[in-house]
Amino acid sequence: MDACRVNLSYLLDPAHWEIGAAYSIPTLILAHLGYTVLALLIGTVVALPVGLYIGHTGRGSFLAINAGNAGRSLPTLGLLMLLVTLLGLGLLPVLIALTVLVVPPILTSTYAGMRSLDRRVVDAARGMGMRSWQVLTRVELPMALPVLMGGFRSAALQVVATATVAAAVGLSGLGRLLIDGLAVNDYSRVLAGAIVVAVLAVLVDLSLALVQRWIVSPGLKGTD
């Protein structure tokens, strides 16, 4: 019990939760979320249109399948070190490495969601005189949302868990607790970082689950 209290001392110390203080846990959480949101935005802007195009037209399906396999096999830390070597220290290498994590699950889930639709519904929409873009935005995309949101949630979880690598190249974020703690053998700080990252990942996923319930049509909720 005493060891447990010692291990949690950093996490439970009110001084480490001071709002606005440099390297306080709230400040590190905000930086961590900043990297996560930026990577998700960039990855979504890249992957969503491509996934919609492939799913709508059926062309280039190999790209969606292979992108998912390639994304899972890339070591994020190794990629980050390579990017730092090529581009130098800073935010850009971190964002590129995290965006590489985001693209495959969103691309593959968008494609899978579009191709899993009942084609009779799509044909009926075309038979009603809808143009191609209307079929995409009014029929296919809303019906594919459950699968698409599943991929987005998966991407968000991966980025929240992996954004700790930003600290390895001198940036902020919850990885500072891990890197700095290991540097001085302060395992209470390391444990605090691991716990906060895990809790943050759960909270992000729960928040996205609520968003999913809100934006997905009630008639489709049985499919997610």
Side-chain angles (χ1 to χ4, degrees), residues 1 27 37 72 95 202:
M1 182 65 73
T27 300
V37 171
R72 295 184 188 97
L95 282 182
V202 171

Side-chain angles (χ1 to χ4, degrees), residues 4 90 115 160 166 172 192 201 205 218:
C4 184
R115 300 310 294 176
V160 170
S172 186
D205 189 55

Side-chain angles (χ1 to χ4, degrees), residues 15-35 171-177 196 200:
H16 298 141
W17 290 90
E18 184 179 349
I19 303 295
Y23 297 108
S24 68
I25 293 176
T27 300
L28 297 177
I29 290 175
L30 287 176
H32 198 92
L33 287 175
Y35 305 144
L171 297 183
S172 186
L174 291 171
R176 287 256 62 93
L177 298 175
V196 175
L200 184 62

Side-chain angles (χ1 to χ4, degrees), residues 167-198:
V169 293
L171 297 183
S172 186
L174 291 171
R176 287 256 62 93
L177 298 175
L178 307 177
I179 299 294
D180 295 345
L182 287 172
V184 297
N185 293 326
D186 184 356
Y187 296 108
S188 176
R189 190 186 306 188
V190 175
L191 180 60
I195 291 174
V196 175
V197 170

Side-chain angles (χ1 to χ4, degrees), residues 24-87:
S24 68
I25 293 176
T27 300
L28 297 177
I29 290 175
L30 287 176
H32 198 92
L33 287 175
Y35 305 144
T36 300
V37 171
L38 279 174
L40 286 171
L41 284 175
I42 297 170
T44 301
V45 168
V46 171
L48 184 60
V50 177
L52 290 175
Y53 173 80
I54 295 173
H56 180 67
T57 64
R59 300 171 186 167
S61 58
F62 69 95
L63 176 62
I65 297 170
N66 292 331
N69 295 331
R72 295 184 188 97
S73 64
L74 280 175
T76 304
L77 185 58
L79 176 61
L80 177 59
M81 293 300 107
L82 174 62
L83 290 170
V84 167
T85 302
L86 297 175
L87 303 175

Side-chain angles (χ1 to χ4, degrees), residues 95-111:
L95 282 182
I96 294 175
L98 294 178
T99 301
V100 169
L101 273 182
V102 172
V103 169
I106 294 181
L107 177 59
T108 54
S109 65
T110 303
Y111 167 74

Side-chain angles (χ1 to χ4, degrees), residues 120-213:
R120 291 173 297 180
V121 176
V122 178
D123 292 339
R126 291 196 175 101
M128 293 172 60
M130 285 189 178
R131 297 184 178 180
S132 182
W133 66 269
Q134 291 175 318
V135 173
L136 174 62
T137 57
R138 297 184 184 181
V139 178
E140 292 177 318
L141 179 57
M143 293 181 67
L145 269 180
V147 179
L148 195 159
M149 281 300 299
F152 188 83
R153 289 169 62 182
S154 174
L157 281 175
Q158 290 184 56
V159 175
V160 170
T162 311
T164 52
V165 299
V169 293
L171 297 183
S172 186
L174 291 171
R176 287 256 62 93
L177 298 175
L178 307 177
I179 299 294
D180 295 345
L182 287 172
V184 297
N185 293 326
D186 184 356
Y187 296 108
S188 176
R189 190 186 306 188
V190 175
L191 180 60
I195 291 174
V196 175
V197 170
V199 172
L200 184 62
V202 171
L203 292 176
V204 167
D205 189 55
L206 290 175
S207 300
L208 291 176
L210 291 176
V211 172
Q212 180 174 348
R213 292 182 66 86

